[in-house]
Amino acid sequence: MDENRDIVIVGGGPSGLAAAIYAGRARFKTVILEKMMLGGQVALTNDIANYPGFPDGVAGPELTELMEKQARKFGAEIRLEEVVSVSLDGDIKIVATTAGNAYRAPVVILSSGADPRKLECPGEEELRGRGVSYCATCDGPFFRNKVVTVIGGGDAALKEGLFLTKFASRVILVHRRQGFRAEKIYVEEARQNPKFEFVLDAVVKEIQGGDKVKNILVENVITKTQTGIPCDGVFIFVGHLPNSGMASKIVETDPAGHVATNRDMETKIPGLYAIGDLRQGSYRQIATGVGEGVTAAMHAERRIDEWIRTGVWSH
Ligand code: NAP
């Protein structure tokens, strides 16, 4: 069915919800299209310690719920529909979903985030859900008093690894070099935690096991020596791949799939914005994603007003 909106927001993570709050307050007919669950990766995060205003931290689902409530309060509509394509009809965008709907809007804000990157080693796919996981909040409690390995050296690996020490008897972090991308505060905390161990300069060659994970085979990148690490779980946090595929016919992406924008979050196509984890150069923090959402919505307001004035669009 064809439907008209002023603003279509693709993805209901914090950046999309922030854009919806501002768009709703500006009295634009706004819909958020979310394929699965509001909050995105944030909804899977147990404790957010660095979002301003919550000195004692806040759980991801709770923060998501508060943002959702605020977006709905100002009139944003939220629909659970997966977007399959974004195309153009002159200045108007057409957003098609698996529900068979086609939304026509002058402004589309892409905030579809990113999915976990795979290690792509033997055993990863076969043992997924049988010890291989990409979400500590979801699966951590299954590893009470067990040994788990965590792969990666960014914020997610350190933060989620620390969360896993609540359940596991040992958390062994395997990282391919000595330095970390993660915030120093997480690395310090991990070094002080008696359950936390580091295996550095090492890459995973294979995840082994029969019906469940039993071992990972790692190789030291300098000596090339291979060692087995017996474990019950492998939590993989090696970055993310942006979900920009639905717009790939109309916007260019960099080789990793990020969408380039100007400082107003607008792509080369007027009225098409990209915010949050799929935007090139984003710091990929909740606070920056929220700021990007607000920026896009405020610029979109000017764009729509101009198009109403010039007859390109009417409510
Ligand atoms: P990230 O910062 O991109 O880190 C990915 C890590 O995985 C890096 O240490 C990287 O190693 C390693 N890696 C990548 N490919 C690998 C491979 N094939 N084999 C082995 N290791 C591999 O990703 P992230 O930790 O998911 O974080 C993503 C963004 O979200 C970041 O901007 C981060 O700040 C943000 N975030 C923030 C928080 C927070 O609490 N502030 C929490 C979660 C995420 P190299 O370092 O050697 O490249």
Side-chain angles (χ1 to χ4, degrees):
M1 201 169 79
D2 277 12
E3 302 201 36
N4 282 6
R5 295 290 186 285
D6 296 315
I7 300 185
V8 175
I9 299 173
V10 182
S15 54
L17 287 164
I21 292 167
Y22 273 66
R25 287 175 62 82
R27 293 291 177 250
F28 288 123
K29 262 172 85 181
T30 303
V31 63
I32 296 182
L33 301 173
E34 167 57 52
K35 72 171 173 188
M36 229 159 63
M37 156 184 81
L38 288 179
Q41 291 167 55
V42 171
L44 303 176
T45 307
N46 186 56
D47 177 38
I48 296 154
N50 54 6
Y51 191 67
F54 295 91
D56 300 320
V58 57
E62 188 190 340
L63 185 62
T64 304
E65 214 179 293
L66 290 169
M67 289 183 180
E68 176 190 355
K69 197 169 159 195
Q70 207 170 353
R72 286 192 193 275
K73 177 177 159 189
F74 295 119
E77 182 190 357
I78 297 168
R79 291 190 172 185
L80 288 180
E81 289 179 34
E82 183 173 359
V83 172
V84 285
S85 68
V86 183
S87 52
L88 293 175
D89 176 12
D91 287 324
I92 305 307
K93 286 91 198 161
I94 298 159
V95 181
T97 73
T98 45
N101 291 325
Y103 296 87
R104 290 176 58 83
V107 164
V108 169
I109 301 179
L110 301 171
S111 62
S112 36
D115 283 336
R117 181 187 283 142
K118 306 276 166 25
L119 262 183
E120 285 172 16
C121 70
E124 180 180 22
E125 207 45 51
E126 297 85 326
L127 291 163
R128 187 179 180 155
R130 289 187 286 148
V132 172
S133 171
Y134 303 85
C135 176
T137 309
C138 321
D139 299 326
F142 298 122
F143 293 89
R144 213 169 279 280
N145 301 320
K146 303 238 158 106
V147 177
V148 298
T149 47
V150 169
I151 321 300
D155 281 328
L158 271 291
K159 190 171 180 299
E160 301 305 315
L162 283 163
F163 173 68
L164 286 166
T165 61
K166 291 186 184 182
F167 310 100
S169 55
R170 288 168 71 201
V171 173
I172 305 162
L173 183 133
V174 178
H175 179 36
R176 63 185 178 185
R177 59 191 175 100
Q178 293 281 330
F180 295 93
R181 273 174 210 267
E183 280 184 68
K184 290 197 175 59
I185 191 164
Y186 292 137
V187 180
E188 281 166 20
E189 222 180 296
R191 289 202 192 284
Q192 280 160 17
N193 189 311
K195 284 188 178 176
F196 217 103
E197 299 163 42
F198 292 91
V199 175
L200 301 180
D201 289 331
V203 290
V204 179
K205 299 305 276 186
E206 188 176 351
I207 301 173
Q208 300 166 330
D211 58 337
K212 55 188 171 86
V213 167
K214 290 202 171 70
N215 194 58
I216 61 169
L217 187 67
V218 300
E219 182 177 280
N220 183 292
V221 294
I222 298 156
T223 63
K224 303 291 174 204
T225 323
Q226 294 199 345
T227 323
I229 305 178
C231 58
D232 305 290
V234 189
F235 285 81
I236 299 169
F237 300 109
V238 293
H240 290 90
L241 297 174
N243 287 320
S244 53
M246 81 286 286
S248 60
K249 287 217 173 86
I250 56 169
V251 281
E252 271 179 37
T253 62
D254 66 15
H258 296 103
V259 179
T261 70
N262 63 17
R263 50 180 282 187
D264 293 313
M265 309 299 140
E266 197 170 33
T267 65
K268 280 190 181 147
I269 299 169
L272 182 69
Y273 297 80
I275 56 176
D277 285 9
L278 93 165
R279 191 180 77 84
Q280 192 178 54
S282 171
Y283 280 105
R284 293 179 291 167
Q285 304 295 303
I286 305 168
T288 56
V290 163
E292 291 174 26
V294 172
T295 305
M298 293 189 78
H299 191 266
E301 189 177 340
R302 287 193 229 156
R303 181 69 73 203
I304 297 174
D305 284 346
E306 173 198 321
W307 278 342
I308 288 174
R309 238 187 0 260
T310 55
V312 173
W313 182 249
S314 66
H315 284 293

